[in-house]
Amino acid sequence: MNRKDCNILAELQQDGRLSLTDLAERVGISLSSCQRRVRALEQEGVICGYRAYLDPVRLGLNFSALVFVTLREGDRETVSAFEEAVKEIPQIIQAERLFGDPDYLLHVITWDLPAFQQLYDEKLSGMSGVQRLTSTLVMKTVVKDRTLPV
């Protein structure tokens, strides 16, 4: 990747809806060169996709919590079963496996506290292999969807 590719990535992170014509103009290259570079970045997996970012509050999703999960066992079967179960819960908008204790960090978003409690009681606490759940409420998001340094 060279400087032009990095400039393309920076522009697309700011506005993924840019037309190729506008992108080429902003980066200072020809349309055909821009098209080739974007296609190559997509094929190499550097650009993973394009999407709309939605405001959860405007959709009524006013409650956000971080849930730390410790598994009973760390064997492949337990980890795999837990990760598959996590993928089936749409209120978990991000899940990360961690080194050490706890084993996972889940970002959960729901309508309100009662909806979170119901999810916690009916799904999260009953997931296979879970030894302990610890949750904390998100008071304020300080940095969100920051672009990657390129």
Side-chain angles (χ1 to χ4, degrees):
M1 265 190 349
N2 62 25
R3 176 76 4 255
K4 293 291 185 187
D5 293 330
C6 290
N7 290 344
I8 287 170
L9 294 173
E11 290 293 338
L12 287 175
Q13 284 189 102
Q14 292 299 318
D15 184 358
R17 294 183 67 180
L18 275 176
S19 70
L20 286 173
T21 303
D22 290 339
L23 180 59
E25 186 177 303
R26 287 189 187 186
V27 176
I29 58 178
S30 70
L31 177 59
S32 60
S33 175
C34 184
Q35 208 167 18
R36 269 193 313 278
R37 287 172 183 267
V38 169
R39 190 176 310 120
L41 291 166
E42 290 170 345
Q43 290 172 345
E44 292 168 12
V46 176
I47 297 174
C48 303
Y50 304 88
R51 62 185 281 197
Y53 289 95
L54 308 178
D55 184 337
V57 173
R58 290 185 185 260
L59 294 170
L61 297 164
N62 297 303
F63 189 86
S64 182
L66 301 177
V67 179
F68 300 93
V69 181
T70 302
L71 298 179
R72 279 190 207 95
E73 302 291 330
D75 61 277
R76 188 178 311 176
E77 186 177 306
T78 302
V79 166
S80 181
F82 175 78
E83 289 180 1
E84 288 305 312
V86 163
K87 291 175 186 176
E88 298 299 317
I89 301 172
Q91 295 90 338
I92 299 173
I93 61 169
Q94 187 166 341
E96 297 175 308
R97 187 172 179 193
L98 309 174
F99 277 107
D101 189 33
D103 298 307
Y104 288 88
L105 170 60
L106 310 178
H107 187 175
V108 177
I109 193 163
T110 63
W111 304 111
D112 52 21
L113 178 58
F116 175 72
Q117 181 183 353
Q118 182 178 2
L119 177 74
Y120 190 97
D121 292 344
E122 293 177 9
K123 291 191 179 179
L124 299 179
S125 63
M127 286 194 296
S128 176
V130 171
Q131 176 183 339
R132 182 175 65 247
L133 296 173
T134 307
S135 61
T136 188
L137 308 182
V138 175
M139 181 183 351
K140 176 183 173 183
T141 300
V142 178
V143 175
K144 182 179 179 176
D145 301 323
R146 177 177 278 163
T147 61
L148 298 176
V150 289

